[in-house]
Amino acid sequence: MCGIWALFGSDDCLSVQCLSAMKIAHRGPDAFRFENVNGYTNCCFGFHRLAVVDPLFGMQPIRLKKYPYLWLCYNGEIYNHKALQQHFEFEYQTKVDGEIILHLYDKGGIEQTICLLDGVFAFILLDTANKKVFLGRDTYGVRPLFKAMTEDGFLAVCSEAKGLVTLKHSTAPFLKVEPFLPGHYEVLDLKPSGKVASVEMVKYHHCRDEPLHALHDSVEKLFPGFEIETVKTNLRILFDNAVKKRLMTDRRIGCLLSGGLDSSLVAATLLKQLKEAQVQYALQTFAIGMEDSPDLLAARKVANHIGSEHHEVLFNSEEGIQALDEVIFSLETYDITTVRASVGMYLISKYIRKNTDSVVIFSGEGSDELTQGYIYFHKAPSPEKAEEESERLLKELYLFDVLRADRTTAAHGLELRVPFLDHRFSSYYLSLPPEMRIPKNGIEKHLLREAFEDSNLIPKEILWRPKEAFSDGITSVKNSWFQILQEYVEHQVDDAMMAAAAQKFPFNTPQTKEGYYYRQIFEQHYPGRADWLTHYWMPKWINATDPSARTLSHYKSAAKA
C-alpha cells in the first residue's frame, strides 16, 4: 500500500505542484520521492512508500537498466509475480513484485500484461521510447486511482482525489477530477510538449470471466460439475489459496475481526496458513465496539476458538461523532452507509497503527456483494435478478465498501488485503448456477456457510450467525450507532435547512438530516465535487428510506429469534 502521483504537461512550477502530492503522505509513511522525467521538464512522478516487500530496492518510480525508457509507479501487490518470472524466465533486478509489469510489458504489450496480473493494483506506466503513457486499475478497484485531464492535454493522476483538487492549470481553473474505472486500462500518446492525448480506454476483464492468469497459478485442479459437494470442495480450495497467496510481505500481518461470518472465515484461514508457513509471530486480531456490542462478544468467541492474540478497541458515541470530520475527509465521499460504517474502521486502524506492529491487515470486504449477503437479497424476485444485483454491487465496490476499507486503513499507513475479492475465487463463485447462490431457509450466504460446515474453522453459532449491519454491530442493541448519529444530527440540522436542501444541493439532494450533515462536511473539504458519488447506497426491492439493515423487517425478526 502506498501513494502514487504523476503529472504530464504541467504548465505551472513543478516544485509548487508537488505540494499537492504531500496530501497523500499518509499512504506511505516510510519514504517519499519526487522525480522529474528526463527530457520532459513538465512531467514528474511523486511516490509515498509503505515498505511491505523488498525494503532495499522498493522505491519508485521503478526503473531497470534493461529498460531505461520505462518508468513505473504502482500501488498494489502482484501475487503471481514469482510464478510469472519463472514461467517466462525473466531476469529480475529487485525483489519488488511490481517489477514483473515492466518485463511483461516489454514482452507482450499492455493488454497481455494487465490480464496476466493476479493481484490488486493501480499503476502509471510511461514508455518514453514509444511515447506512450498507460494507466490501469484492478478488476474491483481495491486499489484507488483518480485522474484529471484538460482539453489541452495536461494529465494528473493520484491514488486519492485530495492530491489533485488543489492543482492549478492555465486552461482549467477548476480541474475536473474523477475516479479511474476499475477493470480498465487507458492508452495515451505522449507528445513532445509533455502533454498527452487519450487513444483508447479498454475494459480488460469482467468479474464473471476466469482471468487469463489462471493459466499460470498453482491452484490444484478444480473438480468439474455443479454437484453440491463438488462446489463446496472447490470453494474451500479457492478460498484457502486466496488467503495463502496474500501472505506475501516482509511486514507483520494482522486481521480485522468483527465476529461476522466473513471476517471470521478470513481470520481462521489466515491463522491456519500462517502456522503452515511457520511464521514466528502470533496473529493479532482486532475488534471494535461500544460497551455491550454484539460484534465484540462474537469476535471474542472466534478469537478464543482459533487462538489469536486478540485486541478489543472500545469507543464511545462522543469519540465516534468527533471522528466524523476526519473520516469524511479521508473517505472523499458523503454516502450515508459508507460514512457510518467507516467510523469504527477508522478508529480501529488508528489503534493498530499506534499500538501494534501489524501493518498488513486482512479483512472480509467484498463477501456480501459476491455471495449475496445483504438482507434485502431475501426479497429478490428471482435468482437471475439476485445474480444481476450481485454483479452490480461488485461493479460499484470502488464507490462504497472497497473505498471505505482502503481509505480508513490507508489514512493510518496500513495495507488492506481482501481474499474474498480474489479473481479465481470470485469468478468461480459467479459461474455457479444462480439458484445455488440465493439465500436459503431464511439465511443469506447459505452456500458459503455450507461450504465450511464441516471444517471446524469457526464456531457453529458464528458460521450460521445472521448478518449484522457493520455500523450497528459495533454498538449495543439498545441504542444502535445509526440512532446515536441521528439523535446528534437532529440538533445540528434544522427543518429550515432541510426545506432548502434541494436548492443548496441540487445533485444527490440529501433526504435526511444525517445525509445533510455529512454532505455539509464533505462540501467544506471538497467544494463542488459532489459528483464523485454517482448515487447513494440503498437496498433494493424494498421501500427503504435508510440504508441500515436495522430498518428492514427481516432483520427485526432475525434479531428477535
Side-chain angles (χ1 to χ4, degrees):
M1 199 281 306
C2 51
I4 60 176
W5 183 88
L7 300 184
F8 297 91
S10 169
D11 63 4
D12 207 347
C13 169
L14 285 181
S15 55
V16 172
Q17 298 278 50
C18 86
L19 293 173
S20 283
M22 303 318 289
K23 297 272 175 63
I24 59 159
H26 51 272
R27 294 190 73 88
D30 295 333
F32 172 68
R33 179 187 279 173
F34 181 72
E35 191 166 337
N36 290 1
V37 178
N38 317 16
Y40 293 90
T41 54
N42 57 358
C43 299
C44 61
F45 288 93
F47 178 68
H48 293 277
R49 181 165 195 223
L50 178 69
V52 169
V53 175
D54 193 353
L56 192 56
F57 293 110
M59 267 315 269
Q60 296 185 32
I62 297 176
R63 316 254 335 261
L64 301 178
K65 275 185 193 150
K66 198 174 176 186
Y67 319 117
Y69 46 88
L70 294 183
W71 306 61
L72 173 69
C73 234
Y74 84 104
N75 164 212
E77 305 86 47
I78 314 300
Y79 302 121
N80 62 344
H81 73 108
K82 282 188 177 154
L84 291 171
Q85 179 193 5
Q86 285 159 5
H87 177 80
F88 293 112
E89 299 179 338
F90 293 139
E91 275 183 45
Y92 264 33
Q93 257 182 243
T94 72
K95 292 179 186 155
V96 179
D97 50 313
E99 182 178 333
I100 192 68
I101 296 173
L102 297 173
H103 294 285
L104 287 173
Y105 169 73
D106 181 71
K107 183 183 184 305
I110 192 66
E111 174 124 33
Q112 191 193 21
T113 299
I114 204 161
C115 290
L116 282 174
L117 301 177
D118 180 9
V120 293
F121 53 82
F123 68 74
I124 309 151
L125 175 62
L126 167 64
D127 177 348
T128 53
N130 293 296
K131 309 282 187 288
K132 295 278 186 227
V133 176
F134 303 96
L135 306 177
R137 192 174 180 191
D138 66 72
T139 300
Y140 297 116
V142 173
R143 290 290 171 260
L145 192 64
F146 286 82
K147 72 174 239 197
M149 193 166 157
T150 62
E151 281 181 13
D152 72 335
F154 166 60
L155 172 69
V157 188
C158 188
S159 293
E160 296 181 18
K162 54 180 73 64
L164 301 178
V165 289
T166 53
L167 287 174
K168 300 280 182 287
H169 189 70
S170 57
T171 63
F174 184 82
L175 208 55
K176 186 171 168 50
V177 176
E178 50 198 356
F180 187 85
L181 286 177
H184 286 71
Y185 70 83
E186 186 173 11
V187 183
L188 303 111
D189 281 335
L190 178 68
K191 297 173 178 175
S193 65
K195 295 196 187 304
V196 299
S198 182
V199 178
E200 58 175 344
M201 181 84 157
V202 180
K203 183 176 170 67
Y204 66 87
H205 184 234
H206 188 284
C207 55
R208 248 198 331 261
D209 305 334
E210 185 175 75
L212 186 62
H213 56 69
L215 296 168
H216 304 286
D217 72 19
S218 55
V219 181
E220 57 188 275
K221 200 117 182 77
L222 298 180
F223 300 95
F226 296 128
E227 296 294 318
I228 185 67
E229 289 308 315
T230 303
V231 167
K232 281 159 60 173
T233 304
N234 288 343
L235 285 174
R236 286 195 302 273
I237 289 170
L238 288 169
F239 188 68
D240 226 43
N241 183 63
V243 172
K244 189 178 189 173
K245 69 173 79 159
R246 283 168 173 74
L247 300 183
M248 179 188 94
T249 177
D250 298 324
R251 302 292 285 271
R252 183 170 182 161
I253 291 172
C255 189
L256 299 181
L257 179 59
S258 72
L261 173 70
D262 310 323
S263 64
S264 302
L265 283 176
V266 170
T269 308
L270 177 58
L271 196 124
K272 186 181 75 157
Q273 294 285 0
L274 288 171
K275 275 185 183 157
E276 282 173 26
Q278 297 183 328
V279 168
Q280 294 306 299
Y281 55 78
L283 173 67
Q284 293 178 327
T285 49
F286 303 96
I288 187 162
M290 295 185 181
E291 298 280 1
D292 144 48
S293 124
D295 276 6
L296 284 183
L297 297 172
R300 203 176 297 158
K301 265 181 207 157
V302 177
N304 289 338
H305 183 88
I306 65 176
S308 61
E309 180 195 302
H310 192 53
H311 296 239
E312 289 184 358
V313 181
L314 283 173
F315 79 105
N316 60 36
S317 51
E318 200 178 307
E319 286 170 301
I321 285 161
Q322 274 179 349
L324 284 171
D325 187 78
E326 281 171 50
V327 165
I328 291 170
F329 174 72
S330 297
L331 291 176
E332 305 173 334
T333 188
Y334 50 92
D335 176 63
I336 297 165
T337 191
T338 305
V339 173
R340 278 180 195 164
S342 294
V343 171
M345 206 160 174
Y346 183 87
L347 293 173
I348 202 168
S349 299
K350 195 175 190 174
Y351 169 90
I352 294 169
R353 183 76 201 173
K354 206 170 156 188
N355 299 288
T356 78
D357 57 350
S358 286
V359 173
V360 173
I361 307 297
F362 278 63
S363 118
E365 257 68 43
S367 172
D368 284 324
E369 290 78 6
L370 177 66
T371 66
Q372 304 182 14
Y374 293 113
I375 289 164
Y376 71 84
F377 272 96
H378 290 278
K379 306 279 189 194
S382 70
E384 289 69 28
K385 287 284 180 216
E387 174 178 57
E388 242 174 69
E389 174 66 356
S390 174
E391 285 184 25
R392 180 188 74 84
L393 289 170
L394 286 165
K395 217 163 89 185
E396 293 180 354
L397 269 170
Y398 78 104
L399 291 170
F400 301 109
D401 277 30
V402 153
L403 178 148
R404 164 178 56 76
D406 172 82
R407 296 309 190 285
T408 52
T409 49
H412 302 289
L414 304 176
E415 174 170 298
L416 196 80
R417 298 201 174 168
V418 283
F420 275 107
L421 293 175
D422 181 75
H423 287 180
R424 291 292 315 269
F425 181 78
S426 61
S427 63
Y428 177 75
Y429 206 99
L430 294 170
S431 75
L432 299 172
E435 55 280 3
M436 279 189 103
R437 294 182 264 151
I438 54 171
K440 284 191 184 66
N441 313 332
I443 296 171
E444 59 285 339
K445 295 193 266 208
H446 198 279
L447 176 62
L448 182 66
R449 297 173 199 270
E450 243 186 309
F452 290 94
E453 172 77 281
D454 303 319
S455 66
N456 195 33
L457 267 177
I458 58 176
K460 281 282 194 288
E461 72 263 36
I462 301 293
L463 186 69
W464 295 99
R465 182 187 177 200
K467 165 101 185 127
E468 274 279 6
F470 177 74
S471 56
D472 302 337
I474 58 171
T475 46
S476 78
V477 179
K478 290 191 286 291
N479 194 14
S480 90
W481 177 226
F482 98 96
Q483 286 165 326
I484 291 166
L485 285 166
Q486 285 170 347
E487 283 161 20
Y488 172 74
V489 299
E490 189 59 44
H491 303 292
Q492 310 301 315
V493 179
D494 61 34
D495 294 344
M497 290 156 98
M498 284 308 294
Q503 278 92 6
K504 188 165 183 178
F505 305 122
F507 178 78
N508 268 347
T509 305
Q511 303 300 312
T512 63
K513 289 186 176 182
E514 187 186 359
Y516 189 102
Y517 184 70
Y518 299 160
R519 179 66 173 273
Q520 262 188 323
I521 296 174
F522 174 85
E523 292 287 346
Q524 280 163 13
H525 292 298
Y526 306 108
R529 306 286 182 178
D531 60 351
W532 289 344
L533 179 69
T534 51
H535 59 282
Y536 289 103
W537 192 99
M538 283 299 250
K540 215 171 168 171
W541 305 306
I542 47 175
N543 243 341
T545 51
D546 188 283
S548 170
R550 285 266 165 120
T551 62
L552 305 186
S553 54
H554 168 80
Y555 186 92
K556 286 172 184 158
S557 58
K560 282 176 196 156

